[in-house]
Amino acid sequence: MSADATMREINAVDSEHQQNMLSDSRRLRQLKKHLSREDHPYHKFSTGNMDTLHVRPEAKGIDTRSELIKFYDKHYSASIMHLVVYGKENLDKTQGLVEEMFQEIPNTNKSIPIFPGQPCSLDHLQVLVKSVPIRQGHKLTVSWPIAPSIHHYEEAPCRYLGQLIGHEGEGSLYHELKTLGWATGLYAGEADWTMEYSFFNVSVDLTDAGHEHMQDILGLLFRYIKHLQESGVSQWIFDELSAICEAKFHYQAKIKPISYAMAISSKMTIYPTKHWLVGSSLPSKFNPAIIQKVLNDLSRSNVRIFWRSKKFEGQTDKAEPWYNTAYSFENITEFTIQEWVQSAPDVKLHLPVPNVFIPTDFSLKDIKDEDIFPVLLRKTSFSRLWYKPDTKFFIPKAYVKIYFNCPLANTSPDAFVLSNIFVWLLRDCLNEYAYYAGAAGLYYGLSLSGNGFELYLAGFNHKLRILLEAIMQKIAKFEVKPDRFSVIKETITKAYQNIKFQQPYDQGMSYCSMVLQDRTWPWTEKLDALTHLEAEDLVNFVPMMLSRTFVECYIAGNVGKNDAEAMVKHIEDVLFNDPKPISRPIFPSQSMKNRVVNLGTGMKYFYHQEGSNPSDENSALVHYIQVHQDEFSMNSKLQLFRLIAKQATFHQLRTVEQLGYITSLSQSNHSGVYGVQFIVQSSVKGPGHIDSRVESLLKDLESKLYKMSDEEFKGNVTALIDMKLEKHKNLNEESLFYWREIKNGTFKFNRKDEEVAALRELKKEELIDFFDEYIKVDAPKKKSMSICVYGSHHLKEMAADKDKVIASPLIEIEDIVGFRKSQPLYGSLNGWSQLKL
């Protein structure tokens, strides 16, 4: 903890704080803390910045480093540490390693500090706080201080209540608010808990109409809570929760060892030894009194209401000191809330029905196949089925991906937006039914993808076919309800409007993708298209979009061959095999491929753009180097360069030069075209300066590679091989790897083995030749592009930076779409039409 390292870390903390200044979730969290007892630790600023860690202490004559060491001396003790070691060695060897490596840690017999008492006094209850967010949208958060349920983790009172208040099936609070057109999301559960205090929160995402009916929404919430209080705690609901949790726990997927070890070590501070591995995962003790106690705490006298909306601009009189969030504060009485309850609309709120999706058959299929890679099981003019039975994980789960390739789904900004609304409305109409499946460990998702849309189902396989058939039925019988269209249109409009509040580095990556990827549309064009669309447009569009479709399927896990084929046959029957079919096969000429701009060799392109949020001081640089199209030997060289350069990049640009908290070197893959991206976001330096520092870094990397010893080279190769040979931890991880090959049309299921083989043959001189040819500053085959996004601090530098781009090989991109249209494209990797069964 040297003085120099301390100051660097203070700068890093401040840089992180600067990027978080415009985060609405952090602003709300700090506002809640601000409105609490000043003598309670909960009240404090939770992250720190230059002011709190350097400026203020220095003004008081306090040395931050000295305070840091005092803090270390006070709290660094083995008595309050917990260690998890996860490895293949036997326990005796592991114990020996632990004793050898950790014996020097001092034990000063410290105990874990506790902070008793509730953070909220009576002054902080029965309050309504209105605040102004950064982003578009309205949100209502209702919060109650409660006793921490961690002390009753086997009785699980907050999980029981969160499941009921946050339920989304018919008769639930959310279902009724959604039907009224007032809400687009609702979450209920415990939050901000410690061993001494906790909160139960209900958060509702409001529509514009919902914002105008805030009092009715609160009235319905308290009415539902009263219904729960009066109807009593139900044994069958707890038993159902217990059964679901037991199934999820016993058949949970393996996760990365580092994540598992961290999770267990955290649990060791909380639970008795016998529950270190289980934690709160298995609610098993039905105790109505404990649940009723928490339910009774959700009272009108104990409530804190936080309501945020852009509509409160100019109507507030206070500012939270750390994030400068504008807010107003008023007291509300129990009588006022009672009036809201009485005046709220008469809707039929009731408890959920028993969950038909809870799995009861956990048997494993008798899989005879020995295939280690997916096989093409079925191919017709309508569809193709890739099949990969589970021969590794042995759990009763399946993973299904279905890509509906609809060539007319993404032909223009209008088509893209209409396809997007179609997917949103599909999810919307499935929500009440599919919510039960998700609660029972069977998940689904619908999203836009490529030239169409994608459906995935993952989880317990027992009732997966039922959910799939229900989804296909909704696709086949899709109808546009004008009221739901209006709500979804409003939601997507706000989502597009909020893109301008993205972090600057996210904006840079979006611009980079837009330059490179053919047939991508600027969000401004999508927003403009959306503004003019009505329900009738979608009614006309969907049949046309579905009229030509090819269905690409991947089915993996605990599913037999016949069952997999039957699922795909059902999809074909729904879409294609009707006297008046919804869909027909696509024409060969309609097989759209995702293609990528082939940047000019020896050229350096620039795109300079003002950050889309004038309030954001941060700037960003994305320095992109395009290298090659998918090929094992080249892939291995690029990946090895990235591995060697990654730590040096972080050390030089972040640790030494202190350019910004967000600093990374990553490999990029745009539809099979590989490259590297240096990404830096900074509030202290502009993109032009950062770009020059990346160029300087590349010269340092050149020297590093030239001086690298044979042993160091072999060590890096071995490290990369070890990473590649790491086995997939679970079915989802394995399936995503294979699905990426299928979706990209590369079908290189043995990719890892081939790239490892290429690495084993690679010589140090070949890596240096690769760097000299494609990466270094003056490489003859180099193709690079710098995307420069200017925050408010550095906007004045943009004109001068653009003036430096004067002649070839430096080229300024003025218009992304115009530039993309003028450039040659890489050929498509997709070879699906050539595949044979």
Side-chain angles (χ1 to χ4, degrees), residues 155-157 160-161 228-229 231-236 238 285-296:
E155 292 86 356
Y160 176 95
L161 294 173
L228 294 178
Q229 289 168 340
S231 60
V233 179
S234 299
Q235 172 97 45
W236 75 265
F238 184 87
K285 295 181 179 177
F286 179 60
N287 190 322
I290 288 174
I291 297 172
Q292 196 70 42
K293 167 71 173 65
V294 177
L295 188 52
N296 291 339

Side-chain angles (χ1 to χ4, degrees), residues 3 12 19 29 89 250 268 321 423 441 452 551 563 590 756 774 795:
Q19 73 160 38
R29 182 166 180 261
E89 293 79 10
H250 287 300
M268 291 164 72
V423 167
V551 185
D563 291 335
Q590 286 183 296
V756 165
Y774 294 97
L795 189 56

Side-chain angles (χ1 to χ4, degrees), residues 543-571:
M544 181 180 68
M545 179 190 74
L546 293 173
S547 66
R548 295 286 175 181
T549 305
F550 183 81
V551 185
E552 185 88 73
C553 305
Y554 173 82
I555 298 179
N558 193 41
V559 181
K561 264 185 187 175
N562 292 340
D563 291 335
E565 291 195 70
M567 282 190 223
V568 178
K569 183 69 170 61
H570 175 76
I571 293 169

Side-chain angles (χ1 to χ4, degrees), residues 355-361 398 400 402 430 433-438 440 442-444 455-475 555 559 563 566-568 570-571 574:
N355 192 339
V356 297
F357 279 102
I358 296 177
T360 54
D361 180 1
V400 176
I402 303 165
L430 280 161
Y433 180 76
Y435 180 83
Y436 283 96
L442 174 57
Y443 308 100
Y444 93 101
L455 165 67
Y456 89 89
L457 299 98
F460 291 110
N461 60 273
H462 181 200
K463 299 180 180 180
L464 185 146
R465 174 75 184 267
I466 297 170
L467 180 58
L468 173 62
E469 291 184 4
I471 295 169
M472 289 307 304
Q473 182 69 11
K474 289 292 185 184
I475 293 173
I555 298 179
V559 181
D563 291 335
M567 282 190 223
V568 178
H570 175 76
I571 293 169
V574 170

Side-chain angles (χ1 to χ4, degrees), residues 359-596:
T360 54
D361 180 1
F362 300 106
S363 62
L364 298 180
K365 306 295 181 186
D366 184 18
I367 304 293
K368 297 288 194 293
D369 302 80
E370 305 258 326
D371 296 300
I372 59 172
F373 299 125
V375 295
L376 183 57
L377 189 60
R378 185 177 188 274
K379 182 183 177 185
T380 69
S381 60
F382 309 122
S383 72
R384 186 169 53 182
L385 167 60
W386 296 91
Y387 174 63
K388 174 65 178 72
D390 179 13
T391 55
K392 188 186 298 183
F393 306 109
F394 306 112
I395 55 173
K397 293 184 178 181
Y399 187 96
V400 176
K401 273 273 194 183
I402 303 165
Y403 171 44
F404 298 85
N405 184 349
C406 307
L408 299 177
N410 188 25
T411 55
S412 67
D414 291 276
F416 179 93
V417 172
L418 285 165
S419 299
N420 198 14
I421 299 174
F422 164 72
V423 167
W424 275 72
L425 280 172
L426 259 183
R427 289 197 299 254
D428 186 68
C429 69
L430 280 161
N431 191 65
E432 286 76 13
Y433 180 76
Y435 180 83
Y436 283 96
L442 174 57
Y443 308 100
Y444 93 101
L446 279 160
S447 60
L448 277 189
S449 180
N451 303 300
F453 61 100
E454 206 166 273
L455 165 67
Y456 89 89
L457 299 98
F460 291 110
N461 60 273
H462 181 200
K463 299 180 180 180
L464 185 146
R465 174 75 184 267
I466 297 170
L467 180 58
L468 173 62
E469 291 184 4
I471 295 169
M472 289 307 304
Q473 182 69 11
K474 289 292 185 184
I475 293 173
K477 304 291 185 187
F478 181 76
E479 62 173 310
V480 181
K481 297 177 179 176
D483 59 330
R484 298 312 301 162
F485 177 91
S486 297
V487 169
I488 297 303
K489 179 179 176 180
E490 178 191 313
T491 304
I492 297 176
T493 298
K494 288 173 184 170
Y496 286 153
Q497 290 170 338
N498 285 331
I499 289 174
K500 73 178 182 181
F501 298 112
Q502 279 182 328
Q503 294 272 9
Y505 80 95
D506 278 327
Q507 295 174 39
M509 290 170 69
S510 294
Y511 290 135
C512 187
S513 291
M514 200 171 299
V515 169
L516 296 172
Q517 292 278 176
D518 191 31
R519 291 186 312 110
T520 50
W521 319 108
W523 69 267
T524 48
E525 291 185 7
K526 290 186 275 194
L527 179 59
D528 185 52
L530 178 58
T531 305
H532 301 99
L533 294 173
E534 299 300 336
E536 192 61 32
D537 297 308
L538 189 63
V539 171
N540 296 329
F541 174 78
V542 171
M544 181 180 68
M545 179 190 74
L546 293 173
S547 66
R548 295 286 175 181
T549 305
F550 183 81
V551 185
E552 185 88 73
C553 305
Y554 173 82
I555 298 179
N558 193 41
V559 181
K561 264 185 187 175
N562 292 340
D563 291 335
E565 291 195 70
M567 282 190 223
V568 178
K569 183 69 170 61
H570 175 76
I571 293 169
E572 284 190 0
D573 287 343
V574 170
L575 293 179
F576 301 99
N577 295 335
D578 193 80
K580 291 185 177 179
I582 297 166
S583 305
R584 299 182 188 278
I586 63 175
F587 295 114
S589 60
Q590 286 183 296
S591 178
M592 309 288 280
K593 311 293 193 299
N594 293 324
R595 298 181 64 189
V596 177

